[in-house]
Amino acid sequence: MITKPDTATDAVVDIVEDVFAALREVRAVTERLRPRESGDLAALRMVLFERLGGLIAGIGFIAAPGLLRDAPWFLEWWQESPSGPVRLVRDLDPSSGAFYDYTHWGWYADPASGAERTVCGPYVDLLCTDEYALTLSIPVRVDGTFVGVAAADVFVRRFEVAVLPVLRGLGSPAFLVNADGRVVASTTTRHLTGTIYRGGGLPCGDLPLALVELRHGLPTMGS
Amino acid sequence: MFGDKYCYDMAAAKEVRVPEIAGSARSAAFAPVDSTARVDAVVRRLTDAILLGLVADGEQLPSEAELAARLGVSTVTLREALMALRQRGLVETRRGRGGGSFARAPREDSLGVPGRLAELTVEDLRDLGDHYAAVSGAAARLAAQRSLPSDLAPLKRTLVAMAAAATPGEARRLHGRFHIEVAAASQSARLTQEEIRLQADIGALLWLPHTTQGEDDEAIAEAVERGDGDLARALAERHALAAVGHLIELRLRYPPEVRHDH
């Protein structure tokens, strides 16, 4: 039984939406907390720990610089480890010369400038894990004011495990590309993850992802 | 291994004649620079002397005329070199009574670099250069093939910050960061992790300020942006080998008193 392309894109949307559902929970709790100090965010941990695992290798809230009285730059960010959730503790002061002015990263900058759902990457995540990852994020607002983002890291290798069965079901070589044309997951060596594909594809709902299927070696969608 | 173009350009032949006794390294720092050497060579010589603590932090340099004479360069050349050193925060010039030029050593460098360098043999350094060139060359080639304009934004920000860096320590950190960002643009987590390890391990040594570093970095960024993988790789390899070549020159010129082999 061969999957139809739109069934495949629906399946991809379901996989990704599951992560966004977790982020909406994080957002709802953060909005209720109305955080003013870094300690206020400790109350987020229950929901973060619950959602960590499966596709989600790291999850948390990233405060807008200056939001918290005691910490101008702050992440309440937790990652998986064999011994349970581990807090990412980083010296986030950009003046210490590191990578940590997070306002430049797409997963922060896009929601900060109004995007409702952002899928960033795949990219080598220099802030948290040095792994090849996707970062999904949504804005958090209190009384209409942007106060930071709820975000989750999905390692590309785990995403691949989740979506490859869907792509294989299509019966011909296929791959997913992000909005920039970067291949995210693929069933063909001709277009490997991380490479650039300059052509169109079938959109996955309103996510910044598109499916490209090669029939007789040619894309079935415009190019 | 190091083509003459990329080699440390102070006449190596001169250095072998320097007797390896206490205090000789210091006089080597002020030994005459050959007549073809320009401002860069003087900058590099004095930078090394200051970073390696051969001239103490706060120590007054000889007068311009005397220093120019000892280095065998014109006072015009020397003044240009001092200006570059002032911009890097390695020299401070005070006017008036008791004025003159004073060495300003960044503490971390003056303490860390000579000790770390002394632990490595020339062979260690050569091998390190081979490893580093392989990693950064491969990363730069892939970055050129795979990066999109959005991937280049961090690199460009880092280059801008580097040009405005207030201290050699900051400039060095930004160099390290630039090379890690190039590696990240390759889309390879392993190459990036390797680049990070190399930077953490030897970054402080590798990025002892070089006069050509910023230009090298800009050329690499340009090649990556144009999608010229072969050029990006060649430039990155050359850059790594030149940096390590510089360290080997330093290691040969300022031998540690004793090396304990296991």
Side-chain angles (χ1 to χ4, degrees):
Chain A
M1 169 90 183
I2 294 205
T3 314
K4 286 189 196 139
D6 54 352
T7 313
T9 55
D10 286 351
V12 171
V13 169
D14 287 348
I15 290 165
V16 176
E17 281 303 333
D18 203 37
V19 179
F20 278 117
L23 295 181
R24 283 192 293 272
E25 275 179 50
V26 174
R27 166 162 69 189
V29 178
T30 310
E31 285 171 353
R32 275 202 302 278
L33 290 172
R34 308 174 74 89
R36 303 299 305 155
E37 288 181 6
S38 57
D40 298 345
L41 290 163
L44 262 182
R45 289 175 195 172
M46 192 146 16
V47 60
L48 297 181
F49 293 0
E50 227 167 74
R51 284 306 203 144
L52 207 48
L55 272 185
I56 299 176
I59 188 166
F61 170 74
I62 297 95
L67 172 75
L68 304 171
R69 274 192 283 259
D70 58 328
W73 298 82
F74 193 78
L75 318 178
E76 181 71 39
W77 188 262
W78 291 78
Q79 291 171 320
E80 266 190 311
S81 88
S83 53
V86 179
R87 173 95 189 272
L88 177 78
V89 181
R90 281 277 155 106
D91 169 14
L92 287 168
D93 180 357
S95 67
S96 67
F99 302 97
Y100 308 138
D101 181 354
Y102 46 72
T103 59
H104 291 302
W105 294 100
W107 51 258
Y108 184 93
D110 292 359
S113 52
E116 280 308 313
R117 287 187 306 175
T118 301
V119 178
C120 198
Y123 70 119
V124 180
D125 170 22
L126 293 175
L127 183 63
C128 295
T129 59
D130 303 331
E131 291 279 355
Y132 205 47
L134 296 165
T135 301
L136 283 65
S137 60
I138 59 175
V140 179
R141 300 188 185 94
V142 170
D143 301 330
T145 303
F146 174 81
V147 297
V149 304
D153 277 349
V154 174
F155 291 153
V156 172
R157 68 176 109 84
R158 288 198 204 164
F159 186 70
E160 174 184 306
V161 170
V163 299
L164 234 47
V166 176
L167 298 183
R168 286 218 183 86
L170 290 163
S172 27
F175 50 95
L176 289 170
V177 295
N178 70 7
D180 296 325
R182 171 110 56 219
V183 177
V184 185
S186 170
T187 65
T188 168
T189 54
R190 287 175 51 198
H191 297 280
L192 289 175
T193 301
T195 59
I196 306 295
Y197 174 75
R198 301 190 192 280
L202 185 63
C204 297
D206 57 0
L207 295 173
L209 292 173
L211 172 71
V212 183
E213 196 187 356
L214 302 176
R215 295 247 175 88
H216 315 295
L218 296 170
T220 55
M221 292 295 301
S223 54
Chain B
M1 171 177 161
F2 303 108
D4 51 353
K5 189 172 165 200
Y6 310 110
C7 205
Y8 193 68
D9 55 7
M10 309 290 246
K14 243 178 231 150
E15 307 305 338
V16 296
R17 280 188 249 114
V18 175
E20 294 173 12
I21 53 168
S24 67
R26 200 189 135 87
S27 42
F30 294 136
V33 170
D34 84 46
S35 58
T36 59
R38 286 173 299 210
V39 179
D40 283 359
V42 175
V43 169
R44 202 177 277 187
R45 179 78 68 89
L46 293 177
T47 297
D48 291 343
I50 294 165
L51 290 184
L52 291 168
L54 300 171
V55 182
D57 187 23
E59 186 180 339
Q60 184 165 11
L61 299 177
S63 72
E64 285 187 2
E66 192 195 339
L67 192 51
R70 286 169 71 169
L71 290 164
V73 297
S74 70
T75 48
V76 177
T77 302
L78 181 73
R79 274 185 207 134
E80 276 191 63
L82 288 175
M83 197 186 300
L85 291 163
R86 271 195 294 277
Q87 282 168 356
R88 294 171 176 198
L90 288 169
V91 164
E92 190 188 335
T93 301
R94 293 176 221 144
R95 305 269 164 225
R97 253 175 96 84
S101 290
F102 299 81
R104 277 277 161 258
R107 223 145 294 280
E108 43 185 326
D109 291 320
S110 59
L111 294 176
V113 169
R116 180 77 182 88
L117 191 57
E119 288 166 13
L120 298 166
T121 64
V122 170
E123 195 277 332
D124 287 334
L125 289 166
R126 197 268 312 160
D127 198 30
L128 192 58
D130 294 348
H131 184 194
Y132 191 58
V135 170
S136 60
R141 183 176 64 87
L142 290 173
Q145 290 169 351
R146 296 176 179 168
S147 63
L148 292 159
S150 56
D151 300 309
L152 297 176
L155 273 70
K156 288 181 170 174
R157 274 199 302 274
T158 302
L159 286 176
V160 169
M162 212 186 296
T167 65
E170 191 190 344
R172 201 189 57 210
R173 276 193 296 276
L174 289 166
H175 278 290
R177 170 166 155 176
F178 172 82
H179 288 276
I180 290 168
E181 285 167 342
V182 170
S186 78
Q187 309 298 309
S188 166
R190 280 180 189 253
L191 282 176
T192 308
Q193 289 157 10
E194 198 62 24
E195 180 78 40
I196 290 169
R197 264 195 292 278
L198 279 160
Q199 293 292 345
D201 191 28
I202 51 145
L205 287 177
L206 269 181
W207 311 119
L208 278 172
H210 278 235
T211 45
T212 58
Q213 232 171 46
E215 294 157 32
D216 281 4
D217 290 346
E218 290 197 6
I220 291 167
E222 253 172 54
V224 167
E225 186 167 21
R226 282 210 312 272
D228 189 338
D230 290 341
L231 180 62
R233 172 159 67 182
L235 290 171
E237 281 178 352
R238 231 185 261 171
H239 180 74
L241 293 176
V244 175
H246 176 60
L247 288 180
I248 291 174
E249 287 291 337
L250 278 179
R251 184 65 180 74
L252 290 169
R253 185 138 38 93
Y254 305 119
E257 290 124 44
V258 190
R259 176 176 158 84
H260 296 284
D261 270 314
H262 17 92

